[in-house]
Every structure is written in C-alpha cells, then in structure tokens.
Amino acid sequence: MRLCEHDKCTGCGLCKAVCPRAAISFEVDSLGFRYPKIDIRECIDCGLCAKKCPSINPVKRELGNECYLAWAKDDDIHYESSSGGVAYLLQHHIIDLGGYVVGCVWDSEFNARLVVIDNANDLAKSVGSKYVQSYVDDGAWKEIKKRDSKGQQGVFIGLPCQVAAAKSFLNGSSNVLFVDLLCRGGCSPSCLKAHLSYLEEKNKFHNVRDVKFRGGKYDCSLTLWNERGLIYKGGQYTDKYFYSFMKHGLFHESCYHCQYANSKRVSDITLADFWGIDSEFVKSKHKMNGMNLVLIHSGKGRTFWDTIKDKIEFYKRPFEEAIRGNDTLREPTLSPCDREMLLSLIENVGFERAVSSDEQYKRNIRAQRVGYVIKAIKKIIPRPLLEFIKRHI
C-alpha cells in the first residue's frame, strides 16, 4: 500500500488514525516534520489509509458567500486574541452548550498539538497563534470519533489540511462546525525547539511555561513567560525564529504547493487577520487591535454565526477585498530562492548561526540598534530642544 507522495503529505495523522492494524507510525525528519511509515508486516492492504487521505482524495471545497470584518465586543477578549477574538467566542459558545472544542495548545515540550477541550477554563490555552507546524494529537482522533458517534456537538478549529482530514475522518459530520484558519505555512518544530533551548541557556531562563507570538501588549513578538511573568521579548524581524517564520524559509514542503491556498475553502467558516481592509474604514472605527476576517461557506456556518453575532461588532465587506489582502486566498506561499542554502546551513552549523548569517537579518539588527540609540537620545534631550531640531533639520 502506498500513501501520498512525500511532498504532498501534510502530516495530518489521519492515515494512522484510521488504520485497523496500527500498521502506520510516524518518522520525524531533521526539521521536526512528521511523515508516515507503513509496517508491511502488519499491513493487510485494506486501502483505508489512501481512501481517507485528503491529499489523495481531496475534500470538497466551497466558495464563501459572506465576508465580514469582525471583532469581539468584549475588549479583554479582543485584546488578548491574535486577531478579533471570534474563534474564542465560537469555542466558548459550543462548550456552554455542553459540546467540545478541538483546538491547538502547547504540550510540556512546546509541541503544538490539537486536543479535545470541554472545559471553558481550559480555552485560554488555545488562545493565540502558534507559529509552528501543529499536529492532531493521537488520542484526539479517537476522542473526536467517540463524541461524534454520540451526537455531541463540537467545533474543530485548525489549519485547512487538518480540517480536511477531520471532515474525511467524520464523513463531514453535521455535529461538528469545521473552522479553518487561513495559513501561510507550518514552520519547523525542530528550529523552534533549538531556538528556545538557545534562549534558555544564553539568558539562564528557568521554568518557561508559555510561548506567545500574538495578542495582548506584546502582539507580533515572540515572548516567553514563566510563573513570574514576561522573561523574553523578540520582535518579528529581530528574533531569529520569528524572522524565519516571516521569511517563509522553514515551512513544511507541502505548504509551498498547498491545495487549500485559494478562495474555495474546506470549512464551514474561515478565520484570519483581515489584511487589505480599507484603511480609512478602519480609522473610522477607531480600532487599534487586530480584526478578524470571517468567511462563511455553509448553512451550518451561518447558523453558528447567528448564535454569537450579538457578541461581535461586524461589518459586511466585499469578498474581493479579503482576497486582495490575503495571499493564501489566491495561491500558496512561495518558497524563498535561498531556502536550500538555509537548510544546508542549519544542517552544518545549527539554526542560530545559520540565521545570524542572513544579510537581511543583519540589517534588521542594525536598524534595531539605531532605534535604541535614538530612543535613548530622546530621553536625554529636553522636548523643546527636540522640537527645535525637527523644525530646523
């Protein structure tokens, strides 16, 4: 039995979940990405893995018929969320109804895992983007199936490839709201772990409990936290890992020709940042925090939206506006021309030294240092003198 081609495999884990003989395991490559391996001694050639694989048998996709700019009316939810807080409201609503959520959380080793959550107090763990390749936890597949067989309502929130896998697994269950997150690509788990280890050793950090990329006071920064609070903050263009994510050089191979990177979606609802929104419209609403793009693709999605929209401030927008501002509604992320060189450097000298040699990264660091100097000077020079200098230079 053959699985999908190596460069098309997303590592969703569905083949392993459906195998009746437990004949499929996963191997991890040097970047931390998972790929399935079949034990031919156990395989009975039933073909179920290939039949369910969404890379071999694509799941039906729909073009959204409703497009909204949206954010939570609750300022705390809005502030702490990566974008507008709509995902959190969907999750909280389904748990209030006695349902469950499949969402992404960190495990104890900072692997990003999709797990089953049925307690509102645990939802905070799934808030905020995890800019690294995530995986559906092995136990989660079984738990999802068990709950769905009992007719329990759920919300599955994941990357498009993960949503496609979940829909195939559950045969498009009417009990589950499928929500996909617009995605640039899944970044290397090994490089994230190497970077965290480097920061811990360099700065003598102990007991790092959380890693954040988005939301709150330090939005769009890589921040590390322990029981005392913030212990590290690196900007998206000056922290080596965040810079690598923004440069798109360490994504999963399948991300560069992703079948889901277009305007037809696999979900009931698509959520994202609303890049490309008219700036004058934004100014008129006086919103400084993130804003969700919400695309609704199905009647099920519309029904769920109607149940939470009283908690959301939202405005209907042209679908073309969303496509214009979000690249992966048009095409997959492009692989950088120097990707192979970067991978070779990482293999030979390690992640930190490889990124440190990047010329654009060096320029970003120099600009940061100049900014620090200017900021220090501004603190020293009296404000009237600064205003005088601005007027005469």
Side-chain angles (χ1 to χ4, degrees):
M1 176 56 58
R2 288 192 62 186
L3 297 175
C4 69
E5 298 298 327
H6 186 84
D7 62 348
K8 293 180 181 179
C9 176
T10 64
C12 69
L14 180 58
C15 54
K16 180 181 178 181
V18 300
C19 180
R21 298 284 296 176
I24 299 177
S25 58
F26 276 86
E27 295 180 331
V28 178
D29 69 8
S30 61
L31 292 175
F33 297 126
R34 305 193 317 167
Y35 293 94
K37 180 182 179 181
I38 297 177
D39 183 345
I40 59 174
R41 296 169 300 179
E42 294 293 332
C43 178
I44 56 174
D45 207 27
C46 67
L48 191 57
C49 55
K51 179 182 177 181
K52 285 294 185 180
C53 174
S55 293
I56 296 175
N57 297 296
V59 174
K60 183 181 178 182
R61 300 194 295 267
E62 300 287 348
L63 185 66
N65 52 22
E66 296 180 62
C67 175
Y68 296 99
L69 168 71
W71 59 85
K73 290 179 179 179
D74 185 303
D75 287 339
D76 290 334
I77 294 174
H78 185 191
Y79 182 67
E80 292 298 333
S81 300
S82 294
S83 302
V86 173
Y88 179 84
L89 293 175
L90 282 170
Q91 292 173 315
H92 208 288
H93 175 72
I94 200 70
I95 286 181
D96 285 345
L97 293 176
Y100 68 97
V101 168
V102 179
C104 188
V105 304
W106 295 119
D107 68 14
S108 60
E109 297 179 351
F110 294 109
N111 298 298
R113 303 288 193 191
L114 270 69
V115 301
V116 174
I117 301 170
D118 56 11
N119 187 321
N121 293 329
D122 292 330
L123 282 179
K125 299 175 184 177
S126 69
V127 171
S129 301
K130 280 85 175 170
Y131 288 151
V132 67
Q133 181 71 30
S134 58
Y135 301 104
V136 182
D137 191 77
D138 289 342
W141 286 120
K142 296 178 181 178
E143 186 67 19
I144 294 166
K145 193 73 168 181
K146 183 175 73 173
R147 290 172 183 260
D148 189 65
S149 66
K150 295 178 179 179
Q152 187 177 16
Q153 285 191 304
V155 173
F156 186 104
I157 299 185
L159 306 182
C161 52
Q162 295 164 343
V163 170
K167 288 187 78 172
S168 178
F169 185 60
L170 297 174
N171 298 311
S173 172
S174 60
N175 300 321
V176 178
L177 179 73
F178 298 100
V179 180
D180 81 294
L181 305 172
L182 198 60
C183 171
R184 292 182 182 181
C187 203
S188 164
S190 292
C191 289
L192 175 61
K193 290 185 179 182
H195 187 51
L196 294 179
S197 295
Y198 168 80
L199 292 175
E200 288 178 327
E201 183 176 348
K202 177 185 176 182
N203 299 290
K204 308 301 180 186
F205 292 151
H206 299 287
N207 301 321
V208 176
R209 294 190 176 182
D210 200 5
V211 176
K212 296 181 182 180
F213 294 92
R214 297 291 306 277
K217 181 178 179 180
Y218 306 106
D219 192 30
C220 292
S221 297
L222 172 60
T223 57
L224 307 184
W225 304 75
N226 66 10
E227 68 280 359
R228 296 182 179 179
L230 178 71
I231 54 176
Y232 170 80
K233 180 176 80 72
Q236 61 181 330
Y237 295 109
T238 53
D239 175 84
K240 292 187 182 74
Y241 180 80
F242 212 152
Y243 169 76
S244 300
F245 172 81
M246 297 300 294
K247 190 176 178 180
H248 309 159
L250 296 175
F251 289 172
H252 196 287
E253 182 64 33
S254 65
C255 299
Y256 298 116
H257 34 85
C258 174
Q259 64 168 305
Y260 310 105
N262 53 64
S263 56
K264 290 186 176 182
R265 314 302 296 173
V266 295
S267 61
D268 298 302
I269 295 176
T270 295
L271 297 179
D273 290 301
F274 205 136
W275 303 118
I277 187 72
D278 180 73
S279 58
E280 293 303 315
F281 182 84
V282 174
K283 289 178 183 178
S284 72
K285 303 304 172 186
H286 306 291
K287 300 307 295 184
M288 297 301 292
N289 297 329
M291 293 172 286
N292 271 126
L293 164 64
V294 181
L295 302 176
I296 299 176
H297 313 294
S298 69
K300 192 199 310 182
R302 156 52 63 184
T303 298
F304 269 83
W305 174 255
D306 286 342
T307 61
I308 65 166
K309 67 181 183 182
D310 62 319
K311 300 177 181 178
I312 300 171
E313 187 166 346
F314 62 96
Y315 302 89
K316 196 162 189 175
R317 303 298 298 175
F319 194 76
E320 296 72 24
E321 189 174 40
I323 294 176
R324 185 171 63 247
N326 293 273
D327 293 346
T328 49
L329 282 176
R330 303 190 304 272
E331 60 184 1
T333 299
L334 296 176
S335 176
C337 59
D338 61 349
R339 182 172 186 263
E340 292 305 317
M341 183 176 69
L342 173 61
L343 297 183
S344 178
L345 276 173
I346 291 173
E347 184 176 351
N348 288 306
V349 302
F351 174 74
E352 298 296 324
R353 289 178 64 189
V355 179
S356 294
S357 67
D358 183 277
E359 291 301 322
Q360 181 58 57
Y361 178 76
K362 291 178 183 178
R363 287 193 288 272
N364 294 346
I365 294 298
R366 286 195 291 269
Q368 181 189 54
R369 289 169 180 167
V370 170
Y372 287 154
V373 171
I374 293 173
K375 190 174 181 179
I377 291 173
K378 286 182 177 180
K379 287 183 178 181
I380 297 171
I381 299 176
R383 189 175 185 83
L385 180 55
L386 278 175
E387 294 298 327
F388 176 81
I389 293 173
K390 286 181 181 178
R391 289 195 300 269
H392 293 85
I393 293 180

